[in-house]
Amino acid sequence: MDEDGLALFDNFLKMLEDTFPYADVYYRLASNEANVTEKALETDEARQIALQMVRQAQDSGGDIPQLLSVMDKMDFFVKYPDVLKDLREEYCHD
């Protein structure tokens, strides 16, 4: 490849770099990594996370039943309905 060909190739590479959707690729990579991480959690680990949130709310005088209602709607905890059910039994004495 001569110098003119190299210059054209270099311009072509720069054009590709300028039009490459980096933000979309990075977003998809981050989403996939988050999905893998979420799926990898065992129920016991999810329970520990939920328990920590409940205890923090309890220490600060928060409303535990309301917190658990909010947690019911969180994408993360939707996958672990038994965790929230157990916490309700333990912390919500209605």
Side-chain angles (χ1 to χ4, degrees):
M1 189 179 290
D2 62 359
E3 283 191 34
D4 290 335
L6 284 175
L8 286 172
F9 185 69
D10 189 48
N11 286 335
F12 175 73
L13 287 178
K14 287 180 183 177
M15 180 192 70
L16 281 178
E17 289 174 352
D18 290 342
T19 60
F20 189 78
Y22 289 104
D24 185 50
V25 170
Y26 290 135
Y27 173 78
R28 288 172 191 245
L29 286 173
S31 295
N32 287 340
E33 185 176 318
N35 289 338
V36 168
T37 302
E38 287 178 10
K39 289 177 187 172
L41 284 179
E42 297 292 325
T43 302
D44 290 339
E45 293 170 318
R47 187 182 194 306
Q48 290 302 317
I49 292 168
L51 188 58
Q52 182 179 10
M53 291 173 71
V54 167
R55 287 183 179 157
Q56 287 174 345
Q58 190 177 35
D59 291 345
S60 65
D63 184 356
I64 304 303
Q66 182 181 8
L67 172 64
L68 291 171
S69 293
V70 170
M71 290 169 72
D72 273 335
K73 294 169 185 70
M74 291 179 174
D75 288 337
F76 177 80
F77 290 110
V78 167
K79 297 173 187 148
Y80 306 99
D82 292 338
V83 168
L84 298 180
K85 179 182 169 216
D86 293 343
L87 289 176
R88 272 194 186 79
E89 291 173 5
E90 189 174 337
Y91 286 93
C92 301
H93 307 289
D94 297 316

